[in-house]
Amino acid sequence: MDEAPRQVHLRSGDTVWIRPVRSTDASELQRAFALMSDKSQYQRFLTGTPRLTDSQAAYFSQVDHVDHEAYVALSPKDETHIIGVARFIRYPTAPDDAELAITVADSWHNRGLATVLVRELGGRARDVGVKRFRAEMMADNEAVLRLLRSAGLTGETVTGHMASGYIELATTE
Ligand SMILES: CC(C)(COP(=O)(O)OP(=O)(O)OC[C@H]1O[C@@H](n2cnc3c(N)ncnc32)[C@H](O)[C@@H]1OP(=O)(O)O)[C@@H](O)C(=O)NCCC(=O)NCCS
């Protein structure tokens, strides 16, 4: 699926491009990940992950757009640069549900980019029959908790350092 990028406006006033990830994005995903702070990398993968390996980058870019989808945001200054990714991966044993993960480049934090990415990804997920996003994050990750609460996070549970919850897609718009 080589859907053309669409312009979206952020609450900061910035305009960025958004499109589904492409198989050719693997090396750019690696470059963008390498630029993230240690804290952001840890918050995304919940482990110390110094670099995206070639096989991880292939997995994250070669998606089927039905059971695994990702939307990438591209810099307004350079459309080859990925500045944010929102992804869902459907659970094989619970196909109404998909795991949600989001990453935004540190220099783009708090401008409304993740909010737009989650909204766009949610629309796509509904179109392909996903009914619920499940999310797991560090319990002290205030940014993602605020983001997901605004998107309708419910069933919040905290176990040790981790929090989890879900978003019912049918009721978020
Ligand atoms: C979590 C993350 C994706 C948010 O991206 P973002 O583009 O900065 O988010 P937005 O600008 O759309 O803001 C979303 C909400 O978070 C809040 N927020 C953003 N940065 C914040 C911060 N540093 N501290 C507290 N709240 C913050 C915003 O005020 C907004 O709240 P609202 O919905 O109540 O208005 C980003 O911080 C990130 O990539 N973190 C590292 C990876 C990660 O933690 N991923 C989540 C685990 S899967």
Side-chain angles (χ1 to χ4, degrees), residues 15-154:
T15 300
V16 304
W17 299 91
I18 288 190
R19 62 161 169 77
V21 75
R22 296 175 182 165
S23 56
T24 49
D25 286 330
S27 59
E28 174 54 22
L29 286 176
Q30 288 176 308
R31 191 201 64 84
F33 183 79
L35 290 177
M36 287 166 62
S37 64
D38 291 350
K39 181 181 172 190
S40 289
Q41 289 183 351
Y42 192 85
Q43 286 177 325
R44 164 63 180 88
F45 285 100
L46 310 173
T47 64
T49 307
R51 58 182 281 270
L52 272 192
T53 64
D54 290 347
S55 64
Q56 284 174 314
Y59 174 70
F60 285 138
S61 54
Q62 291 167 22
V63 306
D64 65 6
H65 304 286
V66 174
D67 292 334
H68 182 173
E69 177 64 295
Y71 274 73
V72 297
L74 308 169
S75 166
K77 292 193 182 127
D78 182 342
E79 284 172 45
T80 66
H81 279 187
I82 291 174
I83 55 172
V85 185
R87 171 182 314 279
F88 73 74
I89 301 175
R90 207 188 288 254
Y91 290 94
T93 53
D96 285 350
D97 291 17
E99 182 187 352
L100 172 67
I102 317 124
T103 318
V104 165
D106 288 66
S107 60
W108 279 85
H109 280 183
N110 214 2
R111 300 198 211 183
L113 180 50
T115 301
V116 165
L117 282 167
V118 169
R119 186 189 68 209
E120 296 288 324
L121 188 73
R124 171 74 187 158
R126 271 191 293 273
D127 288 348
V128 295
V130 173
K131 296 192 171 66
R132 215 165 6 253
F133 280 156
R134 293 193 214 166
E136 190 175 39
M137 57 246 131
M138 299 186 71
D140 64 357
N141 190 342
E142 202 53 44
V144 78
L145 283 166
R146 284 189 61 162
L147 166 76
L148 298 182
R149 285 172 187 151
S150 293
L153 188 70
T154 187

